[in-house]
Amino acid sequence: MKVALIQFQTSATIQDNIDRLSTLAIEPADVLILPELWLTPFDNEKIVEARPYEQKARKALSALARTHHAYVVGGTICHEQAGRFYNTCFVYDRDGNEIAQGDKIHLLEVHARHDYFEQDVFAPGNKLVRFEIDGVPCGLVVCYDIRFPELTRLLALQGVRFLFVPAAFNDKVGHRHWDALLKARAIENEIFVIACAPDYAYRGFQSYGHSMIVDPFGQVVARCEKSRPVVCAELEESRIDAIRARMPLWKQRRADLYEVRLIDSAQNDQEKQCSVPYDTSVRS
């Protein structure tokens, strides 16, 4: 699977960001991934301003998939549903059809020099997101979600082998936590983690960038730089099986002592245990 990281340079003009999608220079790839909130700077006033542009953005993402004949993990945009707004990622197949959508589950809250609440503009999602790309089980979390290891573990328990992470860390936190969090989620689950962040400055926000792909052993196999905002990498799914055979973490888990469980709200909030739907043997 060849994946292209698109470290989008978001501007303050929302329509310009939509128009720029059709001008991106991208070499042939199977999957294109965009960052969180590529449509607008990470600023609550601008996020509200971007709300009316949802349909235009979704059409542009669909066109991007058709033009490049690639799956598109479309970063996130502001999505309205039943009168509420969500920080949502839409996923498209090679023909531009929407095949999955995922809302950010954990909303950013920071108490530093200035308090910040993402819940002022977004409602939280409440569903795990899984989809397939050419038969490979994939999952999705958005930015702040990566700080909650239970979420990624639940996806891995459901068979996800490639985890996509649209994100938008700022430069101060990104410098300290970005690499560590992505590597940790890859190592502990023995999966590929594919994370894409923007590169821009707006008011007091400076994005960290450093979009990257981490393999199941925690090695960085691709990383964007300011001089290389679009980077492609060929990912071999067999790498997952090789690492799991070398270090059989999944076989060694003490399920008799501990477990991670998903609450299914569709069944009166009854808890059900996630099973491990794959074995640790190498696929043929």
Side-chain angles (χ1 to χ4, degrees):
M1 180 188 298
K2 189 174 184 180
V3 177
L5 301 167
I6 303 173
Q7 189 162 282
F8 201 77
Q9 296 175 311
T10 300
S11 81
T13 305
I14 296 167
Q15 185 61 51
D16 285 353
N17 294 323
I18 294 174
D19 294 341
R20 197 179 314 139
L21 279 188
S22 63
T23 67
L24 294 171
I26 308 168
E27 64 182 82
D30 299 301
V31 187
L32 316 179
I33 177 172
L34 286 155
E36 178 185 25
L37 294 176
W38 59 269
L39 183 60
T40 175
F42 206 126
D43 173 271
N44 283 0
E45 290 183 6
K46 295 298 291 186
I47 290 169
V48 171
E49 182 184 334
R51 286 174 175 174
Y53 291 83
E54 177 186 353
Q55 294 307 317
K56 285 186 177 181
R58 290 168 70 173
K59 288 179 181 178
L61 290 168
S62 176
L64 182 70
R66 292 194 305 272
T67 298
H68 294 275
H69 192 58
Y71 287 85
V72 169
V73 179
T76 70
I77 60 174
C78 188
H79 166 54
E80 183 177 6
Q81 184 173 354
R84 305 184 81 187
F85 295 92
Y86 298 86
N87 192 351
T88 303
C89 178
F90 292 93
V91 182
Y92 299 81
D93 66 15
R94 298 180 191 271
D95 296 318
N97 302 308
E98 289 180 6
I99 60 171
Q101 72 177 69
D103 304 322
K104 190 174 186 178
I105 292 174
H106 302 90
L107 299 182
L108 179 63
E109 180 177 330
V110 176
H111 303 284
R113 187 173 62 177
H114 302 288
D115 292 344
Y116 176 78
F117 298 90
E118 193 175 357
Q119 67 183 8
D120 288 346
V121 287
F122 289 124
N126 58 11
K127 294 181 180 178
L128 299 184
V129 181
R130 298 168 62 233
F131 54 95
E132 289 192 356
I133 292 178
D134 294 339
V136 179
C138 300
L140 172 74
V141 299
V142 177
C143 198
Y144 198 53
D145 289 334
I146 201 69
R147 293 185 178 275
F148 299 86
E150 301 89 348
L151 183 58
T152 305
R153 175 50 56 95
L154 283 166
L155 287 166
L157 284 167
Q158 294 184 358
V160 162
R161 294 165 74 85
F162 288 76
L163 180 72
F164 291 91
V165 189
F169 275 45
N170 69 34
D171 59 342
K172 294 180 178 61
V173 175
H175 177 72
R176 294 173 173 84
H177 294 172
W178 177 249
D179 283 35
L181 286 167
L182 298 178
K183 289 179 179 180
R185 300 295 89 84
I187 292 167
E188 67 198 8
N189 294 295
E190 297 178 314
I191 59 175
F192 280 100
V193 173
I194 302 155
C196 190
D199 180 14
Y200 68 90
Y202 180 78
R203 293 182 177 173
F205 182 88
Q206 172 63 60
S207 59
Y208 182 62
H210 291 81
S211 302
M212 58 193 285
I213 300 173
V214 184
D215 80 359
F217 203 57
Q219 296 178 322
V220 176
V221 298
R223 188 193 294 268
C224 291
E225 306 293 345
K226 282 188 175 294
S227 61
R228 298 178 64 217
V230 179
V231 171
C232 292
E234 189 75 47
L235 309 182
E236 297 291 340
E237 188 188 359
S238 60
R239 174 72 170 159
I240 299 171
D241 300 310
I243 294 300
R244 289 179 178 177
R246 177 179 174 180
M247 298 188 69
L249 303 182
W250 289 97
K251 184 177 71 175
Q252 294 175 305
R253 289 177 68 248
R254 289 295 302 275
D256 58 319
L257 291 179
Y258 53 81
E259 63 186 7
V260 181
R261 295 190 294 175
L262 174 68
I263 295 175
D264 186 355
S265 59
Q267 298 182 12
N268 298 318
D269 291 334
Q270 295 294 315
E271 291 185 340
K272 65 178 182 180
Q273 183 178 356
C274 289
S275 60
V276 182
Y278 53 78
D279 60 29
T280 56
S281 61
V282 178
R283 287 189 184 183
S284 57

